[in-house]
Amino acid sequence: MLLTVEGLCVNYGRIEALRDVSFEVPEGCVVSLVGANGAGKTTTLRTISGLRPVRAGRITFDGQDITALPAHKRVQLGICQAPEGRGIFPGMTVRENLDMGTYVRKDRRSASVGEDYKRVLELFPRLGERSGQSGGTLSGGEQQMLAIGRALMSRPRLLLLDEPSMGLAPKLIQQIFTIISQINEQGTTVLLVEQNAVQALKRCSFACILESGSIVRDGTGQELAQDDSVKAAYLGGDI
């Protein structure tokens, strides 16, 4: 198992954000966390990334306990996140933003970085057209491509995606999810947080539904997509 989360509890002060959250992410799969705003999805990803302290529970990556490991060490192990809201550097060019994804790589001056840059541009040709343009001048969809591309430049084994479809037009949403599938097919394991449950359940092997900081349902994407209660709550009655 590539990632195992066991009994995870996380607080913001006295407020309990996550309560006894447990799930696994097999290597080579897409796993989705689905839920409404405030359910704890982003907190889960931030905690796996090392950006939130754990009150209780354990996180294991490829057999190694990383619960107390600093965030940059997790990136070096192969965990990288494209955050909610994209988080690009607006005053830096597209190329410079992508280069930031290699910051903690020990081989950042090797030829492999050029190979990864080529891969990103094959996935997102628009970024090649905008390579010298400031990140802050890109459209919302282009910024999302840049955020995912920057994360890929770290050569992750586990890619954490937080609301990649947020604020995008329907056509772009379809394009982003198609690319996520391509990234997975190329060998990168994906943990996807997404409010667009229709797309998330279509793309994933396994999914968990979060409500008020706890997992209330789990199963394959197909099983959850066909469940009447899930349809009513998250899929507008159908998928």
Side-chain angles (χ1 to χ4, degrees):
M1 195 59 62
L2 186 60
L3 179 76
T4 303
V5 175
E6 302 173 88
L8 194 64
C9 299
V10 176
N11 280 38
Y12 288 90
R14 294 185 178 182
I15 299 173
E16 192 174 44
L18 297 178
R19 181 172 56 259
D20 195 28
V21 169
S22 299
F23 63 92
E24 294 180 326
V25 180
E27 189 160 15
C29 292
V30 177
V31 173
S32 295
L33 301 180
V34 176
N37 279 334
K41 306 185 304 298
T42 293
T43 297
T44 301
L45 289 197
R46 288 177 60 83
T47 305
I48 293 169
S49 293
L51 302 176
R52 291 298 311 171
V54 174
R55 179 172 61 80
R58 184 170 68 167
I59 304 170
T60 306
F61 182 72
D62 199 19
Q64 177 179 344
D65 188 339
I66 63 168
T67 311
L69 200 67
H72 70 282
K73 294 289 186 182
R74 301 188 195 200
V75 177
Q76 289 176 336
L77 284 179
I79 301 173
C80 197
Q81 180 173 346
E84 181 182 14
R86 295 139 196 171
I88 64 166
F89 300 99
M92 300 174 73
T93 66
V94 166
R95 181 60 193 258
E96 289 168 341
N97 268 274
L98 292 174
D99 286 343
M100 289 299 293
T102 71
Y103 185 73
V104 299
R105 282 178 57 167
K106 295 179 181 179
D107 65 343
R108 62 181 303 203
R109 301 193 185 280
S110 71
S112 62
V113 170
E115 295 170 5
D116 292 328
Y117 184 67
K118 181 180 178 182
R119 176 198 179 196
V120 167
L121 297 191
E122 287 174 350
L123 288 166
F124 303 108
R126 186 67 61 85
L127 297 183
E129 299 170 7
R130 303 283 192 268
S131 62
Q133 191 170 321
S134 296
T137 66
L138 301 180
S139 68
E142 291 167 345
Q143 289 186 11
Q144 185 61 68
M145 295 174 189
L146 182 56
I148 296 173
R150 181 183 59 192
L152 290 174
M153 288 298 294
S154 73
R155 191 169 278 195
R157 294 180 62 195
L158 175 63
L159 176 63
L160 310 179
L161 296 177
D162 194 353
E163 302 285 6
S165 73
M166 180 180 288
L168 302 185
K171 185 176 179 179
L172 274 175
I173 290 173
Q174 183 65 43
Q175 182 181 354
I176 288 292
F177 276 103
T178 297
I179 292 170
I180 290 170
S181 294
Q182 291 175 348
I183 290 168
N184 178 244
E185 289 165 3
Q186 291 174 358
T188 304
T189 306
V190 177
L191 178 56
L192 171 67
V193 156
E194 183 55 60
Q195 275 191 287
N196 188 329
V198 172
Q199 288 289 345
L201 294 179
K202 278 184 179 179
R203 305 286 175 176
C204 70
S205 305
F206 190 82
C208 302
I209 295 179
L210 274 168
E211 289 183 6
S212 303
S214 297
I215 292 177
V216 295
R217 292 289 306 278
D218 61 33
T220 68
Q222 185 176 10
E223 287 171 350
L224 293 178
Q226 293 174 351
D227 183 277
D228 289 340
S229 62
V230 174
K231 287 182 180 180
Y234 300 102
L235 306 178
D238 203 356
I239 188 169

